[in-house]
Amino acid sequence: MLPFLPTNLINIVSGLSKMKISYFISATTIGNMIYGLVLASVSYGIVSVSHQYRQLFYVIIAVAAIIVAVRFIKKQRTSNI
């Protein structure tokens, strides 16, 4: 999330590196979700301040649930091997 480097350039360079595709996809997805959340929160905060905290709480809960689900699935896969 460096403001002087476009995220597309970072994603392309990272994709060309010798990194596992699963790590690249998950890191890119998480990074873009955070970047999008920050941009959406800033623009949403300018439009409507009153509902911002409740909406942000829901987004944080949803992201936490996704992280827990991914970890659970990953743990299930490794324990089956």
Side-chain angles (χ1 to χ4, degrees), residues 6-52:
T7 57
N8 291 338
L9 179 64
I10 294 171
N11 292 341
I12 290 170
V13 172
S14 298
L16 294 174
S17 68
K18 294 181 179 183
M19 175 187 291
K20 283 187 174 182
I21 190 76
S22 61
Y23 293 153
F24 170 72
I25 290 174
S26 59
T28 301
T29 302
I30 291 169
N32 284 334
M33 286 176 59
I34 293 170
Y35 183 71
L37 177 64
V38 168
L39 289 179
S41 294
V42 167
S43 65
Y44 186 72
I46 292 170
V47 174
S48 171
V49 176
S50 62
H51 298 291
Q52 180 179 6

